[in-house]
Amino acid sequence: MKLEFPKNFLWGAATSAHQVEGGNHNDWSEWEKATGNEESGRACDHYNRFREDFDIAKQLGQNTHRFSIEWSRIEPEEGRFDEKEIAHYQEAINVLRERGIEPFVTLWHWTLPIWVAKQGGWENKKTIDDFARYCDKIVRSLSADEAGLKSVAYWITLNEPEIYTMNSYLRGKWPPASPTSQGGPQKKSFFKFLKVYRNLANAHKKAYTVIHSTWVSDTQVGIAKNNSYFEGWLAPILNWGWNNWFLNRISQHQDFIGLNYYFHNRIKGFKLNQNNNKQVSDIGWEIYPEGIYHVLKDLKKYNKPIYITENGVADAKDIHREKFIKEHLRWVHKAISKGVDVRGYFYWSLLDNFEWDKGFWPRFGLVEMDYKTMERRVRPSAYEYAKIVKENGFEI
Ligand code: FCB
């Protein structure tokens, strides 16, 4: 039996600027130095090799691609916009369009310009206005090409506000935590966590309004939200707090929902993450495809188109990836058959890349990176994914 996906379904892969570009100078690169974390350095040198990478995406039949714009490049100092960097991203978009690949552009994927970090990052309400100004500049610059043709139709304002806020402020393990620059490990603070989370919701709303107030009328704006499938007696509360709170808060300000699905969380007694872990990835994350179905069913209530903006596995040997993709897609298909409006799927990631505090060793890519030679090698599972894309489905 063949599982067919809806007509015009978008198929692609995702990356983010700090993880692939190389040569970034932002709060993360400072934090990497200050904490002795592995440094992102030249990463995949995607900043210079994006043409080659988009050729690979094209060769794999992909018709969409998600990437992010690095705010610290665009506005290295407060109020000073770097037109050369804007032109760089325009070029990346043109190269995608020439290859028939629809760009999904993320405006903030966790990194901040140094001057924003110095003013307190997302703890400071001023950052909301600064972010909106940066979004305005970008959208005005990139929304149409010279011929007046649509250039970017899909904007993702924020990537995973909940993961960022949790790791940075509840767990104190991501920037702004920095033993040297802050005179000691960051204080974990529930109060700051709530404040930053609220500020991010407001930042999204403001950016949403700004983007829609430009002359491009058919632009679609959303966020990428990391939702987990919770099981157990606490599930309803966690579902509300973790999965729904942010989306409820911005419900009048989103044209689509981006879902990043990685986690299942079984609660027993007062303990979280009591999963069976029958299968885990290289970094110990449980592989639990069925969860994506439940998460999608929960999102149905928002009545918005849904794009799976991330889903992927760290698997250096490429032994799980093909099955991982197919199993998740099988559950996505089931959700579609139950009336959930899913319109696209982005595998995380096109390339192996810099996995934040973990450094380079986790290998999420459809394409393997040789970081010494910068050679790209397409993994066998990528060709299997390409078959699915070509067929707009697969046999089960
Ligand atoms: C997500 C992030 C992405 C990548 C994957 C593995 O939470 O959005 O940048 O690190 O996890």
Side-chain angles (χ1 to χ4, degrees):
M1 189 183 103
K2 186 180 172 195
L3 290 186
E4 277 269 356
F5 282 75
K7 227 175 132 223
N8 301 325
F9 200 78
L10 293 175
W11 296 102
T15 64
S16 91
H18 190 66
Q19 295 176 275
V20 297
E21 282 183 350
N24 279 318
H25 184 47
N26 55 35
D27 64 334
W28 269 86
S29 63
E30 293 275 287
W31 175 88
E32 289 153 21
K33 285 202 187 80
T35 56
N37 193 76
E38 191 169 357
E39 288 182 34
S40 48
R42 63 176 184 155
C44 308
D45 195 27
H46 176 75
Y47 187 82
N48 297 307
R49 297 172 198 243
F50 65 90
R51 287 179 192 80
E52 178 185 348
D53 294 336
F54 296 163
D55 279 342
I56 297 172
K58 165 88 182 152
Q59 178 204 334
L60 293 171
Q62 299 178 9
N63 57 17
T64 189
H65 181 72
R66 176 182 171 217
F67 71 96
S68 78
I69 292 182
E70 177 61 32
W71 186 1
S72 64
R73 288 186 187 273
I74 301 295
E75 194 180 359
E77 287 156 38
E78 184 168 0
R80 182 173 73 77
F81 292 99
D82 188 331
E83 297 295 335
K84 264 205 216 121
E85 293 290 356
I86 296 175
H88 166 84
Y89 290 107
Q90 180 64 67
E91 176 63 8
I93 289 159
N94 294 347
V95 167
L96 286 172
R97 286 241 172 263
E98 280 158 25
R99 284 155 183 71
I101 300 175
E102 180 74 41
F104 269 60
V105 181
T106 311
L107 288 156
W108 180 72
H109 200 122
W110 295 350
T111 49
L112 294 170
I114 305 290
W115 61 269
V116 176
K118 280 201 178 134
Q119 71 187 18
W122 292 111
E123 285 170 55
N124 187 344
K125 280 204 173 123
K126 177 174 177 293
T127 299
I128 299 172
D129 299 330
D130 293 337
F131 180 66
R133 182 181 56 183
Y134 149 75
C135 291
D136 182 55
K137 175 75 184 171
I138 289 294
V139 171
R140 278 176 197 281
S141 312
L142 301 183
S143 282
D145 62 16
E146 276 160 17
L149 294 170
K150 193 168 62 182
S151 178
V152 178
Y154 299 94
W155 297 99
I156 295 172
T157 55
L158 306 174
N159 180 66
E160 296 186 351
E162 67 300 303
I163 297 279
Y164 168 82
T165 315
M166 174 181 71
N167 282 334
S168 292
Y169 294 93
L170 266 192
R171 292 187 171 156
K173 66 171 210 174
W174 281 1
S178 162
T180 49
S181 67
Q182 306 242 324
Q186 148 139 325
K187 286 194 196 81
K188 300 172 196 176
S189 159
F190 190 63
F191 171 72
K192 277 191 188 173
F193 165 80
L194 291 179
K195 187 168 157 190
V196 166
Y197 205 39
R198 265 201 309 266
N199 283 348
L200 283 166
N202 290 335
H204 166 78
K205 288 203 242 174
K206 187 150 194 184
Y208 178 95
T209 308
V210 159
I211 297 170
H212 276 295
S213 67
T214 65
W215 56 272
V216 182
S217 55
D218 57 354
T219 287
Q220 304 281 299
V221 185
I223 65 163
K225 179 79 185 60
N226 185 316
N227 277 9
S228 296
Y229 171 45
F230 294 105
E231 278 187 290
W233 68 285
L234 270 178
I237 292 180
L238 288 170
N239 198 52
W240 173 79
W242 183 259
N243 290 341
N244 293 162
W245 186 90
F246 201 97
L247 292 172
N248 293 343
R249 190 107 177 166
I250 63 167
S251 65
Q252 302 305 311
H253 297 82
Q254 52 185 348
D255 307 315
F256 66 87
I257 295 176
L259 168 68
N260 293 0
Y261 174 75
Y262 294 95
F263 302 119
H264 165 225
N265 193 330
R266 185 173 285 156
I267 301 121
K268 283 196 186 137
F270 286 95
K271 288 195 186 140
L272 299 176
N273 288 313
Q274 301 302 298
N275 300 1
N276 289 336
N277 291 335
K278 274 199 197 137
Q279 270 204 337
V280 294
S281 73
D282 292 352
I283 52 174
W285 295 1
E286 186 194 24
I287 300 176
Y288 196 77
E290 182 184 334
I292 200 169
Y293 170 75
H294 299 286
V295 166
L296 285 169
K297 285 283 296 274
D298 180 62
L299 292 176
K300 188 165 182 250
K301 61 190 177 218
Y302 293 103
N303 274 318
K304 296 275 147 87
I306 298 170
Y307 296 89
I308 295 157
T309 37
E310 283 182 36
N311 175 234
V313 64
D315 177 24
K317 297 205 180 101
D318 203 36
I319 44 184
H320 299 300
R321 193 169 282 104
E322 177 188 345
K323 186 159 171 232
F324 178 98
I325 294 173
K326 285 187 172 159
E327 285 293 296
H328 281 82
L329 287 175
R330 204 161 61 78
W331 287 104
V332 170
H333 191 273
K334 183 159 180 202
I336 295 173
S337 74
K338 302 270 184 209
V340 186
D341 185 9
V342 185
R343 301 196 184 174
Y345 177 85
F346 296 79
Y347 178 80
W348 180 272
S349 173
L350 180 64
L351 307 169
D352 287 341
N353 60 47
F354 179 74
E355 181 51 27
W356 309 109
D357 53 307
K358 296 184 185 66
F360 284 106
W361 76 265
R363 302 284 186 151
F364 277 91
L366 290 171
V367 177
E368 182 187 355
M369 280 292 309
D370 180 330
Y371 291 108
K372 285 207 187 88
T373 61
M374 289 293 156
E375 198 190 320
R376 277 88 166 128
R377 282 182 223 112
V378 179
R379 291 198 164 99
S381 58
Y383 291 114
E384 294 304 319
Y385 181 44
K387 281 186 203 156
I388 300 172
V389 172
K390 190 160 177 231
E391 297 290 317
N392 199 36
F394 58 101
E395 290 289 334
I396 49 164

